[in-house]
Coordinates of all heavy atoms in Angstrom, one line a residue:
M23 N 0.8 -1.2 0.0 CA 0.0 0.0 0.1 C 0.9 1.3 -0.1 O 1.9 1.3 0.8 CB -0.9 0.0 1.2 CG -1.9 1.2 1.2 SD -3.0 1.0 2.6 CE -3.6 2.6 2.9
K24 N 0.5 2.2 -0.8 CA 1.2 3.5 -0.9 C 1.1 4.3 0.4 O 0.2 4.3 1.1 CB 0.8 4.2 -2.1 CG 1.4 5.6 -2.3 CD 0.8 6.3 -3.4 CE 1.5 7.6 -3.6 NZ 0.7 8.7 -3.2
H25 N 2.2 4.9 0.7 CA 2.2 5.7 1.9 C 1.4 7.0 1.6 O 1.6 7.7 0.6 CB 3.7 6.3 2.2 CG 3.7 7.3 3.2 ND1 3.5 7.0 4.6 CD2 4.0 8.6 3.1 CE1 3.6 8.2 5.2 NE2 3.8 9.2 4.4
R26 N 0.3 7.1 2.4 CA -0.5 8.3 2.3 C -0.2 9.4 3.2 O 0.1 9.1 4.3 CB -2.0 8.0 2.6 CG -2.5 6.8 1.6 CD -2.5 7.2 0.1 NE -3.1 8.4 -0.2 CZ -4.0 8.6 -1.1 NH1 -4.4 7.5 -1.9 NH2 -4.6 9.8 -1.4
N27 N -0.4 10.6 2.9 CA 0.1 11.8 3.7 C -1.1 12.1 4.7 O -2.3 12.4 4.2 CB 0.3 13.0 2.8 CG 1.0 14.2 3.4 OD1 0.6 14.3 4.7 ND2 1.7 14.9 2.8
M28 N -0.9 11.8 5.9 CA -2.0 12.1 6.9 C -2.5 13.4 7.1 O -3.7 13.5 7.3 CB -1.4 11.5 8.3 CG -1.2 10.0 8.5 SD -2.7 9.0 8.0 CE -3.7 9.5 9.4
T29 N -1.7 14.4 6.8 CA -2.2 15.7 6.8 C -3.2 16.0 5.8 O -4.1 16.7 6.1 CB -1.0 16.6 6.6 OG1 0.0 16.4 7.6 CG2 -1.5 18.1 6.7
G30 N -3.0 15.4 4.6 CA -3.9 15.6 3.6 C -5.3 14.9 3.7 O -6.4 15.4 3.6
I31 N -5.2 13.7 4.3 CA -6.3 13.0 4.7 C -7.2 13.7 5.8 O -8.4 13.9 5.6 CB -6.1 11.5 5.2 CG1 -5.4 10.8 4.1 CG2 -7.3 10.8 5.8 CD1 -4.9 9.4 4.5
V32 N -6.5 14.3 6.9 CA -7.2 14.9 7.9 C -7.9 16.3 7.4 O -9.1 16.6 7.7 CB -6.2 15.3 9.2 CG1 -6.9 16.2 10.1 CG2 -5.8 14.0 9.8
L33 N -7.1 17.0 6.5 CA -7.7 18.2 6.0 C -8.8 17.9 5.1 O -9.8 18.8 4.9 CB -6.6 19.0 5.3 CG -5.6 19.7 6.2 CD1 -4.5 20.4 5.3 CD2 -6.3 20.7 7.0
A34 N -8.7 16.8 4.3 CA -9.9 16.5 3.3 C -11.0 16.2 4.2 O -12.2 16.5 3.8 CB -9.4 15.3 2.5
I35 N -11.0 15.4 5.3 CA -12.2 15.1 6.1 C -12.7 16.3 6.6 O -14.0 16.6 6.7 CB -11.7 14.1 7.2 CG1 -11.4 12.7 6.5 CG2 -12.8 14.0 8.3 CD1 -10.8 11.8 7.6
I36 N -11.9 17.4 7.2 CA -12.4 18.5 7.7 C -13.2 19.3 6.7 O -14.1 20.0 6.9 CB -11.3 19.3 8.3 CG1 -10.7 18.6 9.7 CG2 -11.7 20.8 8.7 CD1 -9.6 19.2 10.2
Y37 N -12.5 19.4 5.4 CA -13.1 20.1 4.2 C -14.5 19.4 4.0 O -15.5 20.3 3.8 CB -12.3 20.0 3.1 CG -12.9 20.4 1.9 CD1 -12.9 21.7 1.6 CD2 -13.3 19.5 0.9 CE1 -13.5 22.0 0.3 CE2 -13.9 19.9 -0.3 CZ -13.9 21.2 -0.6 OH -14.6 21.5 -1.7
C38 N -14.6 18.2 4.0 CA -15.8 17.6 3.7 C -16.9 17.9 4.8 O -18.1 18.3 4.4 CB -15.7 16.1 3.6 SG -14.8 15.5 2.1
I39 N -16.6 17.9 6.0 CA -17.6 18.2 7.0 C -18.0 19.6 6.9 O -19.2 19.9 7.0 CB -17.0 17.9 8.4 CG1 -16.8 16.3 8.5 CG2 -17.7 18.4 9.4 CD1 -15.9 15.9 9.6
V40 N -17.1 20.5 6.8 CA -17.4 21.9 6.7 C -18.3 22.3 5.5 O -19.2 23.0 5.6 CB -16.2 22.8 6.8 CG1 -16.4 24.3 6.5 CG2 -15.4 22.7 8.2
L41 N -17.8 21.7 4.4 CA -18.6 22.1 3.1 C -20.0 21.5 3.2 O -21.0 22.1 2.8 CB -17.9 21.6 1.9 CG -18.5 22.0 0.5 CD1 -18.6 23.5 0.5 CD2 -17.6 21.5 -0.6
Y42 N -20.1 20.3 3.7 CA -21.5 19.7 3.9 C -22.3 20.5 4.8 O -23.5 20.7 4.5 CB -21.2 18.3 4.4 CG -22.6 17.6 4.7 CD1 -23.4 17.2 3.7 CD2 -23.2 17.4 6.0 CE1 -24.6 16.5 3.8 CE2 -24.5 16.8 6.1 CZ -25.1 16.4 5.2 OH -26.4 15.8 5.3
G43 N -21.8 21.0 5.9 CA -22.5 21.9 6.8 C -22.9 23.1 6.1 O -24.1 23.7 6.3
I44 N -22.1 23.8 5.2 CA -22.4 24.9 4.5 C -23.6 24.8 3.6 O -24.5 25.4 3.4 CB -21.2 25.5 3.9 CG1 -20.2 26.1 4.9 CG2 -21.6 26.6 2.9 CD1 -18.9 26.5 4.3
L45 N -23.4 23.5 2.8 CA -24.4 23.2 1.8 C -25.9 22.8 2.3 O -26.8 23.1 1.5 CB -24.0 22.1 0.8 CG -22.8 22.5 -0.1 CD1 -22.4 21.3 -0.8 CD2 -23.2 23.5 -1.0
I46 N -25.9 22.3 3.5 CA -27.2 22.0 4.0 C -27.9 23.0 4.8 O -29.0 23.0 5.2 CB -27.2 20.7 4.9 CG1 -26.5 20.9 6.1 CG2 -26.6 19.6 4.0 CD1 -26.6 19.8 7.2
E47 N -27.2 24.1 5.0 CA -27.8 25.3 5.7 C -29.0 26.0 4.9 O -28.8 26.1 3.5 CB -26.8 26.5 5.9 CG -26.0 26.2 7.1 CD -25.1 27.5 7.4 OE1 -25.2 28.5 6.8 OE2 -24.3 27.2 8.3
A48 N -30.1 26.2 5.5 CA -31.2 26.8 4.9 C -32.1 27.4 6.0 O -32.0 27.1 7.1 CB -32.1 25.7 4.1
P49 N -32.9 28.5 5.7 CA -33.7 29.0 6.6 C -34.7 28.0 7.2 O -35.0 27.0 6.5 CB -34.5 30.1 5.8 CG -33.6 30.4 4.7 CD -32.9 29.2 4.3
P50 N -35.2 28.2 8.4 CA -36.0 27.2 9.0 C -37.3 26.9 8.2 O -37.9 27.9 7.7 CB -36.4 27.8 10.3 CG -35.3 28.7 10.7 CD -34.8 29.2 9.3
G51 N -37.6 25.7 7.9 CA -38.8 25.3 7.2 C -38.6 25.3 5.6 O -39.6 25.0 4.9
E52 N -37.3 25.6 5.1 CA -37.1 25.6 3.7 C -36.1 24.5 3.4 O -35.2 24.1 4.3 CB -36.7 26.9 3.2 CG -37.6 27.9 3.3 CD -37.2 29.3 2.7 OE1 -36.2 29.3 1.9 OE2 -37.7 30.4 3.1
V53 N -36.2 24.1 2.1 CA -35.2 23.0 1.6 C -34.0 23.8 1.1 O -34.2 24.7 0.3 CB -35.8 22.1 0.6 CG1 -34.9 21.1 0.1 CG2 -37.1 21.4 1.2
P54 N -32.8 23.2 1.3 CA -31.6 23.9 0.6 C -31.7 23.9 -0.9 O -32.2 22.8 -1.5 CB -30.5 23.1 1.0 CG -30.9 22.4 2.2 CD -32.4 22.2 2.1
N55 N -31.6 24.9 -1.6 CA -31.8 25.0 -3.0 C -30.4 25.3 -3.7 O -30.0 26.4 -3.9 CB -32.9 26.2 -3.4 CG -33.2 26.1 -5.0 OD1 -32.9 25.2 -5.5 ND2 -33.8 27.3 -5.2
H56 N -29.8 24.1 -4.0 CA -28.5 24.3 -4.7 C -28.7 23.4 -6.0 O -29.2 22.5 -5.9 CB -27.4 23.7 -3.9 CG -27.2 24.5 -2.5 ND1 -26.7 25.7 -2.6 CD2 -27.4 24.1 -1.3 CE1 -26.7 26.1 -1.3 NE2 -27.0 25.2 -0.5
P57 N -27.9 23.7 -7.0 CA -27.8 22.9 -8.2 C -27.0 21.5 -7.8 O -26.2 21.5 -6.9 CB -26.9 23.6 -9.2 CG -26.2 24.6 -8.5 CD -27.0 25.0 -7.2
P58 N -27.3 20.5 -8.5 CA -26.7 19.2 -8.2 C -25.3 19.2 -8.3 O -24.5 18.6 -7.6 CB -27.3 18.2 -9.1 CG -28.6 18.9 -9.6 CD -28.3 20.3 -9.5
R59 N -24.6 20.0 -9.1 CA -23.2 20.2 -9.2 C -22.5 20.7 -8.0 O -21.3 20.5 -7.7 CB -22.7 20.8 -10.5 CG -23.1 22.3 -10.5 CD -22.8 22.9 -11.8 NE -23.2 24.4 -11.8 CZ -24.4 24.8 -12.2 NH1 -25.2 24.0 -12.8 NH2 -24.6 26.1 -12.1
A60 N -23.3 21.4 -7.2 CA -22.8 22.0 -6.0 C -22.3 20.9 -4.9 O -21.2 21.1 -4.3 CB -23.7 22.9 -5.3
Y61 N -23.0 19.8 -5.0 CA -22.5 18.7 -4.1 C -21.4 17.8 -4.6 O -20.8 17.2 -3.9 CB -23.7 17.7 -3.9 CG -24.9 18.5 -3.2 CD1 -26.0 19.0 -3.8 CD2 -24.8 18.8 -1.8 CE1 -27.0 19.8 -3.1 CE2 -25.9 19.4 -1.1 CZ -26.8 20.0 -1.8 OH -27.8 20.5 -1.2
L62 N -21.0 18.1 -6.0 CA -19.8 17.5 -6.4 C -18.5 18.1 -5.9 O -17.5 17.5 -6.0 CB -19.8 17.5 -7.9 CG -20.7 16.5 -8.7 CD1 -20.7 16.8 -10.2 CD2 -20.2 15.1 -8.3
M63 N -18.7 19.3 -5.3 CA -17.5 19.9 -4.7 C -16.9 19.2 -3.6 O -15.7 19.3 -3.3 CB -17.8 21.4 -4.3 CG -18.1 22.3 -5.4 SD -18.2 24.0 -5.1 CE -19.4 24.0 -3.7
I64 N -17.8 18.4 -2.8 CA -17.2 17.7 -1.8 C -16.2 16.7 -2.1 O -15.1 16.7 -1.7 CB -18.4 17.1 -1.0 CG1 -19.3 18.2 -0.3 CG2 -17.9 16.1 0.2 CD1 -20.6 17.7 0.3
P65 N -16.6 15.7 -2.9 CA -15.6 14.7 -3.3 C -14.5 15.2 -4.1 O -13.2 14.8 -4.0 CB -16.2 13.5 -4.0 CG -17.5 14.2 -4.5 CD -17.8 15.3 -3.5
L66 N -14.8 16.1 -5.0 CA -13.6 16.6 -5.9 C -12.7 17.4 -5.1 O -11.4 17.5 -5.3 CB -14.2 17.5 -7.1 CG -15.1 16.7 -8.1 CD1 -15.7 17.6 -9.2 CD2 -14.3 15.6 -8.7
G67 N -13.2 18.2 -4.2 CA -12.3 19.0 -3.3 C -11.4 18.1 -2.4 O -10.3 18.4 -2.2
A68 N -12.0 17.1 -1.9 CA -11.1 16.1 -1.1 C -10.1 15.6 -1.8 O -8.9 15.4 -1.4 CB -12.1 15.1 -0.5
I69 N -10.4 15.0 -3.1 CA -9.4 14.5 -4.0 C -8.2 15.4 -4.3 O -7.2 15.2 -4.3 CB -10.0 14.1 -5.3 CG1 -10.9 12.7 -4.9 CG2 -9.0 13.6 -6.2 CD1 -11.8 12.2 -6.1
A70 N -8.6 16.7 -4.5 CA -7.7 17.8 -4.9 C -6.7 18.1 -3.7 O -5.5 18.2 -3.8 CB -8.4 19.1 -5.3
I71 N -7.3 18.1 -2.5 CA -6.5 18.3 -1.2 C -5.6 17.2 -1.1 O -4.4 17.4 -0.8 CB -7.5 18.6 -0.1 CG1 -8.1 19.8 -0.1 CG2 -6.6 18.4 1.3 CD1 -9.3 20.2 0.9
M72 N -6.1 15.9 -1.1 CA -5.2 14.8 -0.8 C -4.1 14.7 -2.0 O -2.9 14.4 -1.6 CB -5.9 13.6 -0.9 CG -6.8 13.5 0.4 SD -7.9 12.0 0.4 CE -6.9 10.7 0.3
A73 N -4.3 15.0 -3.2 CA -3.4 15.0 -4.3 C -2.3 16.1 -4.1 O -1.2 15.9 -4.3 CB -4.1 15.2 -5.7
L74 N -2.8 17.2 -3.6 CA -2.0 18.4 -3.3 C -0.8 18.0 -2.2 O 0.2 18.2 -2.5 CB -2.7 19.6 -2.8 CG -1.9 20.8 -2.5 CD1 -1.3 21.4 -3.9 CD2 -2.8 22.0 -1.9
F75 N -1.4 17.3 -1.2 CA -0.4 17.0 -0.1 C 0.4 15.7 -0.5 O 1.5 15.5 0.0 CB -1.2 16.7 1.1 CG -1.4 18.0 2.0 CD1 -2.6 18.8 1.8 CD2 -0.5 18.4 3.0 CE1 -2.6 19.9 2.5 CE2 -0.5 19.7 3.4 CZ -1.8 20.3 3.3
D76 N -0.1 14.9 -1.4 CA 0.6 13.6 -1.6 C 1.8 14.0 -2.8 O 2.8 13.4 -2.6 CB -0.3 12.6 -2.3 CG -1.1 11.7 -1.2 OD1 -0.6 11.9 0.0 OD2 -2.0 11.2 -1.5
F77 N 1.5 14.8 -3.7 CA 2.4 15.0 -4.8 C 3.1 16.4 -4.8 O 4.1 16.5 -5.3 CB 1.7 14.7 -6.2 CG 1.0 13.4 -6.2 CD1 -0.4 13.3 -6.3 CD2 1.8 12.2 -6.3 CE1 -0.9 12.1 -6.3 CE2 1.1 11.0 -6.3 CZ -0.1 10.9 -6.4
V78 N 2.5 17.4 -4.3 CA 3.1 18.7 -4.4 C 3.8 19.1 -3.1 O 5.0 19.4 -3.1 CB 2.0 19.7 -4.8 CG1 2.7 21.1 -4.8 CG2 1.3 19.4 -6.1
I79 N 3.1 19.1 -2.0 CA 3.6 19.6 -0.8 C 4.7 18.5 -0.2 O 5.8 18.8 0.3 CB 2.6 20.0 0.3 CG1 1.8 21.2 -0.4 CG2 3.2 20.4 1.7 CD1 0.6 21.7 0.4
K80 N 4.1 17.3 -0.1 CA 4.8 16.2 0.4 C 5.5 16.3 1.8 O 6.5 15.7 2.2 CB 6.1 15.9 -0.5 CG 5.7 15.4 -1.9 CD 6.9 15.0 -2.7 CE 6.4 14.6 -4.2 NZ 7.5 14.3 -5.0
Y81 N 4.9 17.2 2.6 CA 5.4 17.2 4.0 C 4.2 16.8 4.8 O 3.0 17.4 4.7 CB 5.7 18.6 4.4 CG 6.3 18.8 5.8 CD1 7.5 18.4 6.1 CD2 5.4 19.4 6.7 CE1 7.8 18.5 7.4 CE2 5.8 19.5 8.0 CZ 7.1 19.0 8.5 OH 7.6 19.2 9.7
D82 N 4.4 15.9 5.8 CA 3.4 15.3 6.7 C 3.7 15.9 8.1 O 4.7 15.6 8.8 CB 3.5 13.8 6.7 CG 2.2 13.2 7.2 OD1 1.4 13.9 7.7 OD2 2.1 12.0 7.0
F83 N 2.7 16.6 8.6 CA 2.7 17.2 10.0 C 2.6 16.1 11.0 O 3.0 16.3 12.2 CB 1.7 18.2 10.2 CG 2.1 19.5 9.3 CD1 1.3 19.7 8.2 CD2 3.0 20.3 9.6 CE1 1.5 20.8 7.5 CE2 3.4 21.5 8.9 CZ 2.6 21.7 7.7
F84 N 2.0 14.9 10.7 CA 1.6 13.9 11.7 C 2.7 12.9 11.8 O 3.0 12.3 12.8 CB 0.3 13.4 11.4 CG -0.8 14.3 11.6 CD1 -1.5 14.7 10.5 CD2 -1.2 14.8 12.8 CE1 -2.5 15.7 10.7 CE2 -2.4 15.5 13.0 CZ -2.9 16.1 12.0
K85 N 3.4 12.6 10.6 CA 4.4 11.5 10.5 C 5.7 12.2 10.3 O 6.1 12.4 9.2 CB 4.1 10.6 9.5 CG 2.9 9.6 9.7 CD 2.8 8.5 8.7 CE 1.5 7.6 8.9 NZ 1.3 6.8 7.9
K86 N 6.4 12.5 11.3 CA 7.7 13.2 11.3 C 8.8 12.1 10.7 O 8.7 11.1 11.3 CB 8.3 13.7 12.5 CG 7.2 14.7 13.1 CD 7.4 16.1 12.5 CE 6.5 17.1 13.3 NZ 6.5 18.3 12.8
Q87 N 9.5 12.5 9.8 CA 10.7 11.5 9.3 C 11.8 11.7 10.2 O 12.2 12.8 10.5 CB 10.9 11.7 7.9 CG 9.8 11.5 7.0 CD 10.0 11.7 5.6 OE1 11.1 12.1 5.2 NE2 9.1 11.5 4.6
K88 N 12.5 10.7 10.5 CA 13.7 10.7 11.4 C 15.0 11.0 10.5 O 15.1 10.6 9.4 CB 13.8 9.3 12.1 CG 12.6 9.2 13.0 CD 12.8 7.9 13.8 CE 11.5 7.6 14.6 NZ 11.5 6.3 15.0

């Protein structure tokens, strides 16, 4: 199994939770009115964050190298 950057995984999970909370917000008694493509930002953003930390930044704050 490939070494995954734990910082990217943690940030992707936080991003998913925060964006989901933003997207489901609506005034009381109303349904959130967003286009279906707005919900695609959750997995695509998580993939982009993980790829950024795996291939570009390559620094892991949780697994310090000796």
Side-chain angles (χ1 to χ4, degrees):
M23 184 173 160
K24 182 183 176 251
H25 170 71
R26 301 302 305 232
N27 194 324
M28 289 302 294
T29 305
I31 293 172
V32 170
L33 286 178
I35 291 171
I36 292 170
Y37 168 81
C38 290
I39 293 169
V40 169
L41 190 59
Y42 178 75
I44 290 171
L45 286 175
I46 64 168
E47 278 187 5
E52 293 185 20
V53 178
N55 188 13
H56 300 290
R59 66 182 177 269
Y61 296 100
L62 282 175
M63 291 189 310
I64 296 174
L66 293 179
I69 290 170
I71 290 171
M72 289 176 58
L74 181 70
F75 275 91
D76 281 344
F77 301 115
V78 178
I79 297 174
K80 294 184 182 178
Y81 183 74
D82 198 349
F83 292 105
F84 295 106
K85 291 184 180 176
K86 303 273 183 180
Q87 295 182 1
K88 297 177 183 175

